[in-house]
Amino acid sequence: MCGILAVLGCIDNSQAKRSRIIELSRRLRHRGPDWSGLHCYENCYLAHERLAIIDPTSGDQPLYNEDKTVAVTVNGEIYNHKILREQLKSHQFRTGSDCEVIAHLYEEHGEEFIDMLDGMFAFVLLDTRDKSFIAARDAIGITPLYIGWGVDGSVWFASEMKALSDECEQFMCFPPGHIYSSKQGGLRRWYNPPWYTEQVPSTPYDPLVLRNAFEKAVIKRLMTDVPFGVLLSGGLDSSLVAAVALRHLEKSEAARQWGSQLHTFCIGLEGSPDLKAGREVAEYLGTRHQEFQFTVQDGIDAIEDVIYHIETYDVTTIRASTPMFLMSRKIKSLGVKMVLSGEGSDEILGGYLYFHKAPNKKEFHEETCRKIKALHQFDCLRANKSTSAWGVEARVPFLDKEFINVAMSIDPEWKMVKPEMGRIEKWVLRNAFDDEEKPYLPKHILYRQKEQFSDGVGYSWIDGLKDHANTHVTDTMLSNANFVFPDNTPMTKEAYYYRTIFEKFFPKSAARATVPGGPSIACSTAKAIEWDATWSKNLDPSGRAALGVHVAAYEEGKAANVGSDSVESLPQKLDGL
């Protein structure tokens, strides 16, 4: 992941303004420590902080067309860039960068080329011939982007809020799957898949089609010119990413440069479920596995840095980002710059434990649609910013456009949890990779119950955070929270504690409006709380809050300290469902 900053149409084009742009771009340098670039044209500026993954020697940005009349600053990866280059043979390329195709596609197709890109990206393109510009963000919002407006009429774009919040009167998250066009005067959606309407699909479930779509998604993400690895918690999603990557690594270009030994990484408290399961999967696959342990105090000490980098006060995101932030620092110290991760599966396939209570397939499907549409505010934000804080890029195969299309076209009746038929959460995925002849994973891993990352690293992590917040936030403070924080009022001491830290770094009302609010149970949307009457009394984003579903569930009305060794094998768990 790189860092981009673009300022278009400002009044001031002095040397002082240029220096200010460089200063603001420096706030993004953690995202791209390998090189800094700046393109200035009259009163327009494109800045770039580079993390070199593809073509490290010549792919510095901004990138240009042949005569440099089109300039582009890009954050992301274009996995089909070689196919696109074949379609652009009349053009001369300056670099081997996967992102250079964007400038030439614009020359060929104008603004109507975004859907041709297969990847994760956020970019700003300036056409100096008429001083027009466009900005676009990938389909799901894997790559972050913010848009802001200055009092001088300027339009700002940045990978992170911290690079533009001081200069803009108003700013917001740039919506995923959208393009901003100066010619057409605003935002429009370029990504319009069939599932976006939330109409219930009817395609029969075919396990081989689903499996092949996911394997292709993993294979294309092995595109790299630098060392890489897989984040392996030992849960279903990360284990499948590792298993598929290993099967196809030997034939990849990455293996020719870095060998076919797959590196995997896991973090947790001592004795945590993830460390145990991750170790077991790594031993089964034969990966070179690195375990990182942290203490509750290590995590608490990092909270302020985490909130500064991930730019949210959402409780679930902070809980899960902290161990990922700590792990990313360790990974970078080993010389690894890119990792594959398992985000997105639970949203697409209804993997969160609260989906057990979905009343029918229509509500099940609509909830998955809502969850995918909100990913950019939660798991995508966490995976991107907690790794980018240390100059590591996270790639997420489950959020491949084609895989999403395949998975979201399945009749949701197949996705629903049906214990009487032996179907637990994400059964369609588990069954697709349940290969008796050439097993991808051991059965008990393939059918391990869902653990949210903030739970799996060790149950005492969340309990420790709550205890810490209780020492910093008094009952009186919480009772007055609606006066202090009238927007998205924190309902717990933990939420109040995070909010005070966020406000210290990002005090503007526009900043707090970038964070979604509303009640949640085990990561649900507010709508899904209606599925079970008991949930409204036990609102907490932890998976253990799914009363009657999680095998280590909270006792009703309180958060119990649950030992980290209490996670049983799945056949035992199913008996209690």
Side-chain angles (χ1 to χ4, degrees):
M1 284 289 110
C2 305
I4 65 172
L5 173 65
V7 186
L8 295 308
C10 56
I11 294 175
D12 184 4
N13 62 351
S14 64
Q15 180 60 42
K17 187 65 173 183
R18 179 189 177 101
S19 297
R20 179 58 174 162
I21 299 298
I22 292 172
E23 179 186 348
L24 294 170
S25 182
R26 195 177 296 127
R27 297 181 183 181
L28 303 173
R29 193 156 296 168
H30 54 275
R31 300 183 61 88
D34 297 334
W35 190 255
S36 301
L38 178 64
H39 175 78
C40 306
Y41 181 79
E42 297 181 0
N43 60 347
C44 298
Y45 302 85
L46 301 182
H48 191 267
E49 304 292 340
R50 187 185 186 205
L51 179 67
I53 303 290
I54 303 297
D55 187 21
T57 56
S58 68
D60 295 338
Q61 296 194 37
L63 298 162
Y64 304 92
N65 65 339
E66 290 86 344
D67 61 5
K68 289 196 171 185
T69 55
V70 175
V72 61
T73 180
V74 190
N75 173 24
E77 305 292 344
I78 309 301
Y79 302 122
N80 64 334
H81 74 104
K82 289 185 178 180
I83 296 172
L84 294 172
R85 282 175 183 252
E86 287 296 311
Q87 301 170 15
L88 296 164
K89 286 188 174 180
S90 62
H91 292 259
Q92 290 184 335
F93 285 78
R94 297 170 176 270
T95 75
S97 170
D98 55 297
C99 296
E100 190 179 346
V101 295
I102 292 173
H104 301 292
L105 286 170
Y106 173 78
E107 287 187 292
E108 286 287 324
H109 303 284
E111 297 179 357
E112 305 304 321
F113 70 91
I114 314 299
D115 202 27
M116 298 172 68
L117 302 175
D118 183 4
M120 55 178 184
F121 55 83
F123 69 81
V124 181
L125 180 149
L126 172 65
D127 187 341
T128 63
R129 294 168 295 192
D130 59 4
K131 287 190 68 175
S132 65
F133 62 89
I134 60 173
R137 190 178 183 188
D138 66 61
I140 304 300
I142 302 166
T143 307
L145 188 64
Y146 294 82
I147 179 173
W149 295 269
V151 291
D152 61 353
S154 57
V155 184
W156 293 62
F157 302 92
S159 296
E160 295 183 5
M161 190 162 55
K162 59 182 65 69
L164 54 70
S165 57
D166 289 348
E167 305 295 318
C168 295
E169 286 301 301
Q170 290 294 330
F171 52 89
M172 67 178 197
C173 292
F174 193 102
H178 279 72
I179 177 174
Y180 181 95
S181 167
S182 64
K183 288 180 179 178
Q184 298 194 22
L187 289 156
R188 69 180 187 274
R189 171 168 282 280
W190 65 262
Y191 179 57
N192 295 289
W195 63 265
Y196 205 83
T197 64
E198 301 185 10
Q199 184 173 350
V200 178
S202 58
T203 304
Y205 166 58
D206 186 329
L208 290 182
V209 171
L210 189 66
R211 182 201 293 186
N212 291 337
F214 183 65
E215 295 213 71
K216 289 178 182 177
V218 173
I219 291 168
K220 70 178 69 170
R221 283 160 180 78
L222 298 178
M223 177 187 82
T224 179
D225 292 329
V226 298
F228 79 101
V230 177
L231 304 185
L232 179 60
S233 69
L236 173 68
D237 305 331
S238 65
S239 298
L240 282 179
V241 172
V244 173
L246 186 63
R247 287 204 178 190
H248 298 280
L249 179 58
E250 191 173 346
K251 297 179 182 179
S252 70
E253 291 184 17
R256 286 192 281 274
Q257 293 188 68
W258 307 107
S260 57
Q261 178 77 56
L262 183 66
H263 293 255
T264 53
F265 310 99
C266 186
I267 191 168
L269 302 176
E270 183 179 359
S272 70
D274 280 3
L275 287 181
K276 181 181 178 182
R279 187 183 313 127
E280 183 178 3
V281 175
E283 289 173 357
Y284 177 83
L285 296 177
T287 69
R288 186 167 183 178
H289 191 59
Q290 297 280 346
E291 289 184 1
F292 307 118
Q293 290 188 16
F294 76 107
T295 66
V296 172
Q297 190 60 53
D298 290 335
I300 289 171
D301 291 344
I303 289 291
E304 287 210 12
D305 287 339
V306 169
I307 292 174
Y308 172 76
H309 280 286
I310 67 174
E311 302 180 322
T312 186
Y313 49 85
D314 175 68
V315 171
T316 316
T317 306
I318 294 167
R319 288 175 176 179
S321 293
T322 304
M324 200 169 192
F325 174 87
L326 296 172
M327 177 168 55
S328 298
R329 188 175 190 178
K330 291 282 191 179
I331 289 171
K332 186 59 181 288
S333 72
L334 298 174
V336 172
K337 297 173 73 173
M338 185 273 281
V339 292
L340 303 184
S341 191
E343 280 74 17
S345 171
D346 293 313
E347 287 76 10
I348 297 165
L349 301 170
Y352 291 111
L353 297 183
Y354 73 90
F355 276 95
H356 282 239
K357 299 295 183 77
N360 54 60
K361 71 178 186 179
K362 181 177 183 292
E363 292 205 37
F364 187 106
H365 180 70
E366 289 173 351
E367 176 71 0
T368 60
C369 293
R370 288 191 293 266
K371 291 293 291 181
I372 297 171
K373 291 174 184 179
L375 265 169
H376 68 287
Q377 297 174 305
F378 298 103
D379 283 25
C380 287
L381 180 150
R382 167 181 56 79
N384 182 283
K385 291 184 179 179
S386 59
T387 54
S388 293
W390 300 107
V392 176
E393 175 177 283
R395 298 181 180 177
V396 282
F398 282 107
L399 295 181
D400 179 80
K401 274 199 302 183
E402 184 55 34
F403 176 78
I404 294 175
N405 287 342
V406 169
M408 291 301 289
S409 70
I410 298 171
D411 186 333
E413 187 72 29
W414 288 93
K415 296 181 183 179
M416 292 188 70
V417 178
K418 298 189 176 184
E420 71 279 4
M421 299 176 66
R423 294 184 190 172
I424 61 170
E425 68 275 356
K426 291 188 291 193
W427 177 84
V428 291
L429 182 65
R430 301 174 196 272
N431 181 65
F433 284 92
D434 195 349
D435 190 325
E436 296 286 351
E437 293 183 5
K438 294 179 65 179
Y440 287 80
L441 295 168
K443 287 271 190 182
H444 64 283
I445 293 293
L446 194 60
Y447 290 93
R448 182 190 181 201
Q449 187 178 50
K450 165 67 184 172
E451 287 283 3
Q452 289 167 210
F453 185 53
S454 54
D455 286 331
V457 296
Y459 296 135
S460 58
W461 165 234
I462 292 176
D463 298 331
L465 286 173
K466 291 180 177 180
D467 291 343
H468 180 73
N470 286 341
T471 66
H472 286 75
V473 180
T474 66
D475 293 341
T476 302
M477 292 165 69
L478 187 61
S479 66
N480 290 326
N482 61 315
F483 300 109
V484 180
F485 303 116
D487 300 318
N488 272 355
T489 303
M491 304 303 291
T492 66
K493 291 183 178 181
E494 185 186 7
Y496 192 106
Y497 176 64
Y498 299 152
R499 183 66 171 271
T500 58
I501 297 172
F502 178 89
E503 297 277 344
K504 179 172 68 173
F505 294 127
F506 308 106
K508 289 187 175 181
S509 59
R512 66 183 70 103
T514 64
V515 182
S520 176
I521 183 79
C523 286
S524 75
T525 66
K527 176 67 176 174
I529 293 174
E530 299 172 5
W531 294 350
D532 191 303
T534 63
W535 286 350
S536 62
K537 304 173 185 177
N538 197 62
L539 295 176
D540 190 283
S542 167
R544 288 183 292 160
L547 301 176
V549 177
H550 196 292
V551 293
Y554 289 153
E555 296 176 31
E556 188 167 355
K558 69 176 183 178
N561 284 310
V562 182
S564 59
D565 294 326
S566 64
V567 178
E568 307 168 63
S569 64
L570 197 82
Q572 292 172 297
K573 296 171 187 173
L574 286 175
D575 291 338
L577 292 180

